[in-house]
Amino acid sequence: MIDVTSVDGPQGRAAAATDDPAAPGSAAYPPGGAAYPPGGAAHPPGGADHSAGGWPAGAGPVYPAPEPDRLTRFVLRLQERTPRWVVPLAALGCVGAGIGYTLLFDPTRSAPDAAPTCLLKLTTGLDCPGCGGTRALWYVLHADLPAAARHHVLLVFALPFLAYLFVAWAGRQAFGWRLPELRIGNKLIGAVLAVWFAFSVVRNLPWAPFTAFYV
């Protein structure tokens, strides 16, 4: 028997084995001997790797929910055990505290040379958008609406709506009332802010009749 040796030598045989798609170590076989799926695609459709250790498409590892810390558990237990009327009652207490402060410390009486409590007015001499609000509330509580409007007409106009919003919210939270809700959208909020800005500018103009709004 005659032993026929390839003229390509060892290097040629290695190259031929590499070009063979069925040979281990070729492009069809990744390192380690794991074959890709038939059809020559390195990955299945959808880009998900279904080889050993891979996750199917749309799936991922499921991690356990972290345990809440002690403070979070305390807050959650407090929220579950708190009666529904506590939050409206606390809000009502804040409103009552503001009204009591206004009645106790009369904001309409101050020394002529007293420095303004508003930082903007103290530094620039201009009325800020809220200047006169506390005095207007004091006059409203004493049923003097003209004087209240003289100090802050927008607050006097908005007070009935704010009071209704508070009553509707507190009644729903505490007693389950279903009062008609006021629809407050982005356009209404933008209009209110625009009117408030215009009022803040007009009340600082140094000409009559705008000087009547300066407090």
Side-chain angles (χ1 to χ4, degrees):
M1 179 178 295
I2 302 174
D3 186 10
V4 180
T5 304
S6 173
V7 296
D8 295 334
Q11 295 180 353
R13 290 195 298 271
T18 305
D19 294 336
D20 185 4
S26 62
Y29 284 82
Y36 289 128
H43 294 282
D49 185 5
H50 289 275
S51 60
W55 293 97
V62 179
Y63 299 102
E67 291 292 334
D69 55 24
R70 183 176 301 177
L71 178 61
T72 304
R73 292 195 301 268
F74 171 75
V75 172
L76 293 177
R77 288 196 303 267
L78 185 64
Q79 182 180 7
E80 293 175 356
R81 299 176 182 177
T82 300
R84 56 188 303 180
W85 49 264
V86 170
V87 175
L89 183 62
L92 183 62
C94 294
V95 174
I99 293 176
Y101 171 82
T102 304
L103 293 175
L104 184 61
F105 301 96
D106 186 354
T108 62
R109 296 183 179 180
S110 59
D113 56 346
T117 56
C118 174
L119 181 61
L120 179 65
K121 192 167 186 175
L122 179 63
T123 54
T124 65
L126 300 175
D127 282 344
C128 78
C131 275
T134 308
R135 284 166 282 180
L137 179 60
W138 190 90
Y139 284 116
V140 167
L141 295 175
H142 289 81
D144 191 351
L145 295 183
R150 158 70 179 81
H151 285 82
H152 206 298
V153 63
L154 290 186
L155 177 63
V156 176
F157 176 78
L159 274 179
F161 300 98
L162 296 176
Y164 179 81
L165 288 174
F166 177 80
V167 171
W169 168 78
R172 184 175 62 253
Q173 292 290 328
F175 309 109
W177 295 349
R178 294 297 178 182
L179 298 177
E181 296 183 359
L182 299 178
R183 300 294 181 181
I184 301 177
N186 295 332
K187 293 183 179 180
L188 180 59
I189 295 176
V192 170
L193 293 178
V195 171
W196 197 3
F197 176 77
F199 172 73
S200 304
V201 174
V202 166
R203 71 189 312 193
N204 287 290
L205 297 179
W207 311 291
F210 309 115
T211 53
F213 297 103
Y214 185 79
V215 294

